[in-house]
Amino acid sequence: MATITNPILPGFNPDPSICRVGDDYYIATSTFEWYPGVQIHHSKDLADWELVSRPLSRASQLDMRGDPDSCGVWAPDITHDGERFWLVYTDVKRKDGSFKDAHNYIVTAESIEGPWSDPIYVNSSGFDPSLFHDDDGRKWFVNMMWDHRTRPLKFAGIALQEFDPKAGKLVGPRTNIYQGTDLKLVEGPHIYKRNGWYYLLTAEGGTAYDHACTFARSRTIDGQYETHPDKHVLTSKDAPFAAIQRAGHGDLVETPDGKTYLVHLGGRPTTQERRCVLGRETSIQEAYWGEDDWLYVKNGPVPSLKVEVPGTRDDSKYWAEQRYTFENGLPKDFQWLRTPETERIFTTEGGKLRLFGRESIGSWFEQALVARRQTHFSYDAETVIDFSPTDERQFAGLTAYYSRYNFFYLTVTAHSDGQRELLIMSSEISWPDGNLNFPAEPVQIPNQGKVKLALQIRGKSLQFFYALEGQDLQPIGPVLDASILSDECGGHQAHGSFTGAFVGVAASDLNGTALNADFDYFTYRPQRHESDRYEI
């Protein structure tokens, strides 16, 4: 056993679902509008985790073109029934207003690496679905139910219905088994069975600073379920100075030697304004079963920053510089937005990353933007671009990105007279209008030649840099407020913005000619900085 520092999956990795198969642990997390869908990490010891699969990787499984920001893939659930993996997920097509168009699917695979099956459509009555495999061989599907009438609640309770795997559909009656507590907004259900009890773990309070894990149990699977005597087994809602805030939406796993752990999401606000730039991350807590057959979190309900787990973690990997090249395709740390038709937005043929300019940055349909998660509070990023725009409707470059409403973007573009220039574009808490800001005057550059683009983030401060061939980097533009790249500023604030900050490259051609931009490499260099609290 060794003590590690939470989180175990730093950066945007929310809504964790965990399962163990023999000595192998797997965590599935939400990816929202980022493609391919769902991240699955693997560990042998609950300490060291490696990304091993993004299973929703083709159009028949997932096509998110048109999905708004923070829609797409919500709260996957991963289980194993002794024969195969079952992955349940939601593709949300609308979340604002009275309606939620939330379509729930199941895919399966014999190996975590795949191939994963085409999806089985299940229902659209709500989101956060999961699948429970009972010891009598029956399978039960649970999800929160959404009531657009708000009569009496929009979060109307947890629906339970049997799933017939041979027929590939729900069968029998649907039962509302649990309506939650006075904290409301009940969601994220997972069912377990132990000592003749059925246990129901849910999330409540919304995914911002009142978030919580709520526990309940029943002697029969269809309830009704009685709530834990403490109501919430994990929450930071009454501990505003705890290192891990927004704690909730969890799942349980048991080690081979009988220890119980709870994985859950949480955020680490680092500014006075309580902004979580790294998004909702995955942490782990040790739990135990009391003599009353109720689960308790060790030292809970407030989540611990330091936790004892069976293995050890080499934190030097977390702090290592990542220099990405493209000779062997797109590195696994990178994702793009929404579309399964990758050949229309990028290629790595020739050993470079070539983006084909498509729609504007922030488009919900087809934009060429390839990026990786920000996983440190402070870091440097750098790339070299070869791009020859002819007017202002063609632009490409380096971006620190949260959503269409929140980004900073250093572009190589041209004025209407064809003169190439560097231009910083930003969108800062401008929802719902999405208007651009231009925080600095453009800088003219020669019409030919590669340009090095870089950015430096130190806590909440962001500075862009550039260099022409043969020259040293020099700053461009003012110091910008990087803390707006957070759920709390993501257009809908913390209850409606669900991802995290990314850094990467993008290209747009609003003339419709798909002008290409070539990138030689991409470097992500973590930095330690005195302003960064609770860094691993």
Side-chain angles (χ1 to χ4, degrees):
M1 301 286 286
T3 300
I4 62 169
T5 303
N6 274 314
I8 53 172
L9 301 182
F12 160 46
N13 277 289
D15 310 320
S17 171
I18 190 168
C19 75
R20 178 176 63 84
V21 182
D23 294 328
D24 297 290
Y25 299 91
Y26 301 97
I27 289 179
T29 54
S30 299
T31 43
F32 295 87
E33 65 265 35
W34 290 90
Y35 208 98
V38 179
Q39 295 215 121
I40 298 178
H41 286 80
H42 167 257
S43 177
K44 285 282 190 181
D45 58 11
L46 297 176
D48 243 348
W49 293 89
E50 180 186 3
L51 178 65
V52 293
S53 179
R54 291 195 186 103
L56 307 180
S57 59
R58 59 185 187 270
S60 63
Q61 297 170 320
L62 185 66
D63 187 341
M64 298 184 289
R65 284 174 286 192
D67 288 11
D69 291 329
S70 290
C71 288
V73 176
W74 287 16
D77 169 73
I78 188 166
T79 54
H80 194 275
D81 66 356
E83 296 182 358
R84 64 181 57 243
F85 290 97
W86 297 75
L87 181 70
V88 187
Y89 64 98
T90 308
D91 180 9
V92 178
K93 300 298 185 183
R94 171 184 172 171
K95 71 177 181 64
D96 293 332
S98 296
F99 291 103
K100 292 277 192 294
D101 291 310
H103 308 312
N104 296 319
Y105 301 93
I106 296 173
V107 293
T108 63
E110 293 183 4
S111 166
I112 202 72
E113 293 84 7
W116 289 85
S117 68
D118 280 345
I120 298 169
Y121 169 74
V122 183
N123 67 17
S124 300
S125 59
F127 47 86
D128 291 3
S130 67
L131 193 63
F132 171 67
H133 311 278
D134 209 341
D135 50 20
D136 61 1
R138 299 170 77 181
K139 300 183 187 298
W140 297 89
F141 194 86
V142 288
N143 61 270
M144 68 77 67
M145 284 195 295
W146 182 261
D147 189 341
H148 56 275
R149 309 164 306 164
T150 317
R151 197 165 76 200
L153 299 168
K154 284 186 176 180
F155 288 70
I158 304 302
L160 171 83
Q161 195 168 1
E162 187 173 359
F163 176 75
D164 182 340
K166 291 183 178 179
K169 64 179 183 180
L170 299 174
V171 296
R174 183 181 67 200
T175 306
N176 190 332
I177 59 172
Y178 188 64
Q179 289 73 51
T181 72
D182 55 352
L183 191 56
K184 300 182 181 179
L185 308 180
V186 64
E187 57 185 344
H190 294 281
I191 292 180
Y192 318 91
K193 192 174 186 179
R194 181 181 183 273
N195 288 352
W197 289 101
Y198 289 93
Y199 292 93
L200 178 64
L201 179 63
T202 66
E204 287 193 293
T207 195
Y209 289 86
D210 287 332
H211 209 27
C213 287
T214 302
F215 211 51
R217 71 183 182 188
S218 170
R219 286 294 187 186
T220 60
I221 194 167
D222 57 355
Q224 292 289 324
Y225 282 74
E226 62 171 313
T227 300
H228 192 288
D230 295 338
K231 287 188 183 178
H232 316 301
V233 294
L234 184 84
T235 185
S236 304
K237 67 183 181 65
D238 302 314
F241 300 108
I244 300 173
Q245 293 292 311
R246 306 174 63 182
H249 200 118
D251 196 7
L252 298 174
V253 70
E254 190 172 279
T255 65
D257 62 356
K259 286 186 177 293
T260 301
Y261 285 88
L262 170 72
V263 294
H264 64 94
L265 67 78
R268 292 177 291 165
T270 58
T271 65
Q272 191 172 7
E273 300 91 346
R274 300 184 89 190
R275 293 176 178 173
C276 298
V277 174
L278 302 187
R280 298 172 303 152
E281 308 169 291
T282 290
S283 291
I284 192 167
Q285 306 296 328
E286 187 176 348
Y288 64 92
W289 294 93
E291 294 182 0
D292 55 1
D293 272 339
W294 281 112
L295 181 92
Y296 298 88
V297 170
K298 185 177 180 181
N299 302 317
V302 178
S304 298
L305 190 64
K306 305 284 187 180
V307 177
E308 231 182 40
V309 295
T312 59
R313 182 172 66 193
D314 180 5
D315 286 338
S316 66
K317 292 189 296 184
Y318 174 74
W319 288 104
E321 174 182 315
Q322 302 296 318
R323 182 179 173 88
Y324 302 101
T325 56
F326 306 103
E327 295 89 350
N328 299 312
L330 190 70
K332 68 179 181 179
D333 287 349
F334 287 83
Q335 288 183 274
W336 57 95
L337 289 164
R338 296 180 175 86
T339 180
E341 295 186 3
T342 57
E343 68 280 1
R344 287 185 53 82
I345 61 170
F346 73 84
T347 181
T348 56
E349 291 182 10
K352 297 181 180 181
L353 176 61
R354 169 166 288 184
L355 299 186
F356 303 108
R358 295 295 179 186
E359 295 176 343
S360 61
I361 187 170
S363 167
W364 288 347
F365 291 86
E366 188 178 59
Q367 63 160 306
L369 189 157
V370 173
R372 59 149 288 164
R373 284 159 177 74
Q374 179 180 342
T375 50
H376 302 75
F377 295 119
S378 298
Y379 70 93
D380 299 332
E382 180 183 291
T383 190
V384 167
I385 183 175
D386 189 358
F387 185 57
S388 300
T390 59
D391 65 24
E392 68 274 20
R393 282 169 292 278
Q394 297 172 327
F395 45 92
L398 177 66
T399 182
Y401 184 89
Y402 181 90
S403 70
R404 70 181 294 181
Y405 302 116
N406 296 73
F407 61 82
F408 300 101
Y409 190 15
L410 174 57
T411 65
V412 175
T413 184
H415 190 47
S416 53
D417 60 6
Q419 174 62 51
R420 201 163 67 145
E421 63 185 22
L422 295 173
L423 181 66
I424 297 176
M425 304 181 191
S426 69
S427 179
E428 304 171 51
I429 323 179
S430 56
W431 184 86
D433 52 65
N435 289 331
L436 285 175
N437 300 310
F438 301 94
E441 291 297 315
V443 174
Q444 288 191 359
I445 57 175
N447 275 11
Q448 301 297 324
K450 296 181 179 182
V451 185
K452 182 180 290 186
L453 305 177
L455 65 80
Q456 181 184 90
I457 285 182
R458 298 293 182 268
K460 65 181 295 184
S461 299
L462 184 156
Q463 176 70 64
F464 281 115
F465 297 84
Y466 79 98
L468 302 178
E469 291 183 271
Q471 298 182 4
D472 295 330
L473 285 170
Q474 58 182 303
I476 179 172
V479 174
L480 301 164
D481 182 5
S483 74
I484 67 118
L485 305 174
S486 61
D487 292 353
E488 292 84 354
C489 302
H492 295 75
Q493 288 68 57
H495 276 294
S497 297
F498 303 137
T499 53
F502 281 70
V503 61
V505 293
S508 295
D509 183 353
L510 307 185
N511 292 323
T513 64
L515 182 67
N516 55 272
D518 290 343
F519 298 88
D520 290 352
Y521 65 88
F522 190 91
T523 300
Y524 179 93
R525 187 180 306 111
Q527 298 289 338
R528 297 181 186 271
H529 190 255
E530 60 185 10
S531 69
D532 302 335
R533 300 189 305 157
Y534 311 127
E535 183 62 275
I536 290 175

